[in-house]
């Protein structure tokens, strides 16, 4: 089947590439000519493990192309996926839908034969209905349907998540749209992937409910960590102790500096705003947002406290800047709150991130970036782990301590066994490890 994907970012590029791997004929469109040119030369605009080889294979097979020309991309396409950004609107936290509606307007101009307009972008409940209303003004009713097909991939594991998802959710209001989406995802039927067909509104809510629930687990365990810290308990063991209960599950129970990234912060805020508009106050999700905001601020204070209550003039070595490992995505990373707060308190910041430094340099001021971890530690007063990249787990503690002026180690991801750094002369502070 021929399809077009509007927006060639994390979601559009991965989805488009994976659809082509399924055997479909995919054209990925983006307004950013630089991005498209780079992709034509197999230079990925994002860091995502395995993506470059998958793109190269499908481009080579003639199933995947990149263009800025939407008209050409839509010629003969049975479905057009909208995978543009839906960032937080300034002021009210609502999802900013301007890019989605701009894409809808543009696509409408090129619809000739029946086409399913599919939102893959995360959009508030009711958006599909608004898109349908707008398209009804522009096109005859038999030329289009509007469907919702939210995406659940995780950055860093995006290809695996797309090719072998826990489930696919499709919100449709016509049999024709149902059949197009069913045909697109047919390769997944072979693996018996659950494909949830439902109405559009339900699909839209499923996406936000999933993200809000996962964010809730994170804020929940972070609050438990605070209790553990003062009450002599260990949050790692609490997480294991509750996570082994199948009704709870062990995922998303890692205490840390608060959730970040391109989805959870904006989606939890947007869900609260959307529900407010519907007159339904979501008290739990609102608290999750508040707990997370407060947590990021509290983390800088934690580092300062570990440094004896003062970081003025002190050199801090920071390991990890991205919101999680295996991505270069810096959007709403906790580091963007924690580092400026430490700088405000007078600290000098030296940082290393395996993939995120280039993006981080656009967002953080007065940070000295290093290509490898150990040079950050040269003469440092404290070492702070902000992101749990695998390469930091097997740190050579003797070498690190030898380089540093003082032995403060603040592990905001609990990647080290509590006793290990102490054996090498570090004074260790983790998260929720009061035991
Ligand atoms: P992104 O910012 O990485 O990419 C969006 C792309 O769309 C950009 O390249 C931009 O140039 C392009 N674009 C915008 N308007 C356009 C237009 N009119 N025509 C052509 N191109 C246009 O965004 P993303 O992270 O891929 O997220 C996209 C959507 O998917 C969001 O709604 C997000 O919430 C959702 N989502 C993201 C993830 C994730 O992990 N990043 C996961 C699930 C869902």
């Amino acid at each position: 089947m021929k399809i077009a994907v509007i927006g060639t970012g994390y979601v559009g590029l991965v989805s488009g590439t994976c659809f082509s791997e399924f055997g479909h004929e995919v054209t990925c469109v983006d307004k950013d000519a630089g991005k498209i040119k780079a992709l034509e030369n197999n230079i990925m605009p994002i860091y995502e493990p395995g993506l470059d080889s998958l793109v190269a294979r499908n481009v080579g097979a003639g199933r995947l192309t990149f263009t800025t020309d939407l008209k050409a991309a839509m010629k003969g396409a049975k479905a057009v996926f909208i995978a543009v950004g839906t960032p937080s609107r300034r002021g009210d936290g609502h999802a900013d839908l301007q890019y989605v509606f701009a894409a809808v307007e543009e696509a409408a101009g090129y619809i000739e034969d029946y086409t399913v307009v599919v939102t893959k972008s995360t959009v508030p409940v009711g958006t599909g209905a608004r898109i349908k209303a707008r398209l009804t003004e522009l096109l005859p009713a038999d030329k289009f349907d509007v469907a919702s097909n939210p995406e659940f991939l995780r950055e860093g594991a995006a290809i695996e998540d797309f090719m072998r998802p826990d489930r696919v959710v499709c919100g449709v209001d016509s049999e024709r749209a149902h059949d197009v989406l069913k045909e697109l995802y047919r390769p997944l039927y072979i693996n018996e992937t659950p494909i949830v067909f439902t109405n559009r509104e339900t699909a839209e809510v499923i996406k936000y409910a999933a993200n809000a629930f996962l964010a809730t687990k994170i804020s929940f365990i972070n609050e438990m960590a605070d209790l553990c810290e003062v009450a002599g308990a260990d949050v790692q063991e609490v997480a294991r102790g509750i996570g082994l209960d199948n009704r709870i599950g062990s995922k998303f129970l890692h205490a840390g500096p608060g959730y970040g990234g391109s989805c959870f912060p904006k989606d939890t805020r947007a869900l609260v705003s959307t529900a407010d508009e519907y007159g339904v106050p979501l008290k739990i999700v609102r608290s999750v947002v508040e707990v997370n905001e407060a947590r990021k601020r509290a983390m800088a204070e934690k580092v300062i406290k570990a440094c004896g209550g003062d970081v003025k003039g002190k050199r801090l070595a920071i390991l990890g800047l991205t919101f999680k490992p295996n991505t270069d995505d810096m959007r709403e990373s906790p580091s963007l709150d924690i580092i400026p707060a430490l700088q405000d308190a007078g600290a000098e910041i030296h940082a290393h991130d395996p993939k995120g430094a280039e993006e981080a340099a656009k967002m953080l001021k007065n940070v000295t970036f290093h290509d490898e971890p150990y040079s950050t530690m040269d003469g440092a007063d404290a070492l702070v782990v902000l992101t749990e990249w695998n390469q930091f787990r097997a740190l050579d503690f003797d070498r690190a301590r030898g380089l540093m002026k003082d032995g403060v180690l603040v592990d905001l991801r609990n990647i080290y066994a509590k006793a290990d750094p102490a054996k090498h002369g570090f004074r260790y502070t983790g998260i929720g490890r009061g035991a």
Side-chain angles (χ1 to χ4, degrees):
M1 185 186 297
K2 186 164 187 245
I3 63 166
V5 180
I6 306 181
T8 310
Y10 283 87
V11 166
L13 178 55
V14 171
S15 315
T17 304
C18 291
F19 276 131
S20 70
E21 179 71 9
F22 288 170
H24 300 300
E25 197 185 319
V26 181
T27 310
C28 288
V29 189
D30 207 286
K31 280 204 163 331
D32 183 338
K35 205 176 252 193
I36 294 299
K37 193 156 186 53
L39 280 162
E40 284 171 342
N41 293 309
N42 201 42
I43 297 166
M44 299 300 110
I46 53 169
Y47 172 71
E48 184 60 45
L51 184 61
D52 48 359
S53 52
L54 201 63
V55 168
R57 182 157 80 226
N58 284 286
V59 168
R63 290 188 295 260
L64 178 63
T65 46
F66 301 101
T67 182
T68 53
D69 182 353
L70 179 60
K71 185 179 181 186
M74 285 190 58
K75 188 114 197 106
K78 281 198 177 159
V80 55
F81 280 78
I82 296 175
V84 301
T86 48
S88 272
R89 200 163 63 190
R90 256 176 219 285
D92 63 4
H94 202 279
D96 183 347
L97 297 175
Q98 61 167 310
Y99 307 104
V100 170
F101 279 96
V104 168
E105 297 279 333
E106 285 169 58
Y110 305 127
I111 289 178
E112 288 172 2
D113 300 322
Y114 173 76
T115 307
V116 187
V117 177
V118 190
T119 50
K120 214 172 219 335
S121 299
T122 303
V123 293
V125 58
T127 304
R130 283 178 58 200
I131 294 173
K132 184 173 178 174
R134 180 62 187 137
L135 288 177
T136 304
E137 292 169 355
L138 301 170
L139 296 165
D142 63 347
K143 289 285 184 201
F144 72 93
D145 271 310
V146 179
S148 163
N149 174 220
E151 184 49 56
F152 300 94
L153 62 77
R154 295 163 300 166
E155 289 176 15
I159 292 165
E160 176 68 16
D161 284 351
F162 198 95
M163 302 299 285
R164 271 171 283 278
D166 291 339
R167 78 321 202 171
V168 172
V169 173
C170 299
V172 292
D173 66 354
S174 83
E175 211 158 302
R176 279 173 108 184
H178 171 280
D179 292 348
V180 168
L181 285 169
K182 189 173 171 193
E183 176 62 18
L184 262 173
Y185 282 107
R186 198 161 51 87
L188 294 183
Y189 280 82
I190 298 159
N191 308 339
E192 298 186 4
T193 302
I195 315 268
V196 179
F197 272 99
T198 181
N199 73 6
R200 225 173 21 225
E201 285 71 19
T202 308
E204 289 167 344
V205 173
I206 286 171
K207 174 62 194 173
Y208 280 96
N211 275 359
F213 193 81
L214 294 172
T216 302
K217 280 185 98 174
I218 296 172
S219 278
F220 177 86
I221 201 68
N222 283 340
E223 284 203 319
M224 288 303 129
D226 289 345
L227 174 62
C228 289
E229 225 158 271
V230 294
D234 186 326
V235 75
Q236 301 277 95
E237 288 170 32
V238 170
R240 185 169 146 75
I242 63 173
L244 285 168
D245 184 330
N246 284 333
R247 293 169 302 176
I248 297 172
S250 58
K251 307 252 174 81
F252 285 79
L253 285 181
H254 301 286
Y259 58 78
S262 67
C263 291
F264 286 5
K266 81 171 173 64
D267 291 348
T268 44
R269 285 192 296 264
L271 180 57
V272 169
S273 310
T274 304
D276 277 347
E277 278 180 8
Y278 280 94
V280 182
L282 297 185
K283 291 187 200 155
I284 294 174
V285 187
R286 192 182 290 280
S287 301
V288 167
V289 173
E290 284 167 12
V291 167
N292 197 61
E293 283 309 307
R295 183 142 198 98
K296 291 190 266 181
R297 290 192 294 274
M299 290 302 106
E301 284 153 28
K302 191 179 182 73
V303 173
I304 294 168
K305 192 172 163 209
C307 291
D310 188 9
V311 289
K312 201 165 191 325
K314 289 188 177 166
R315 174 169 170 167
L316 305 187
I318 306 277
L319 295 187
L321 297 165
T322 49
F323 79 101
K324 68 173 182 180
N326 293 325
T327 182
D328 58 354
D329 200 341
M330 281 295 297
R331 288 177 283 185
E332 301 216 32
S333 176
S335 65
L336 297 175
D337 289 279
I338 297 169
I339 289 174
L342 292 170
Q343 290 173 319
D344 287 347
E348 181 197 334
I349 304 292
H350 289 253
H352 166 70
D353 187 280
K355 297 288 175 193
E358 199 180 320
E359 277 306 302
K362 297 175 193 163
M363 300 174 170
L364 291 163
K365 301 240 168 339
N366 300 319
V367 170
T368 308
F369 293 97
H370 294 250
D371 290 338
E372 57 87 39
Y374 292 98
S375 60
T376 63
M377 300 167 207
D378 209 354
D381 297 275
L383 176 60
V384 182
V385 177
L386 284 188
T387 317
E388 68 279 29
W389 285 88
N390 267 342
Q391 40 273 70
F392 304 152
R393 291 179 190 273
L395 199 71
D396 179 341
F397 287 122
D398 281 332
R399 182 175 169 200
R401 184 65 193 91
L403 287 165
M404 289 172 61
K405 198 158 89 190
D406 196 3
V408 174
L409 171 53
V410 186
D411 175 10
L412 296 182
R413 299 288 184 171
N414 286 346
I415 61 172
Y416 303 122
K418 205 176 157 186
D420 284 354
K423 285 183 213 148
H424 303 270
F426 279 102
R427 297 192 301 288
Y428 178 84
T429 305
I431 296 275
R433 300 175 120 178

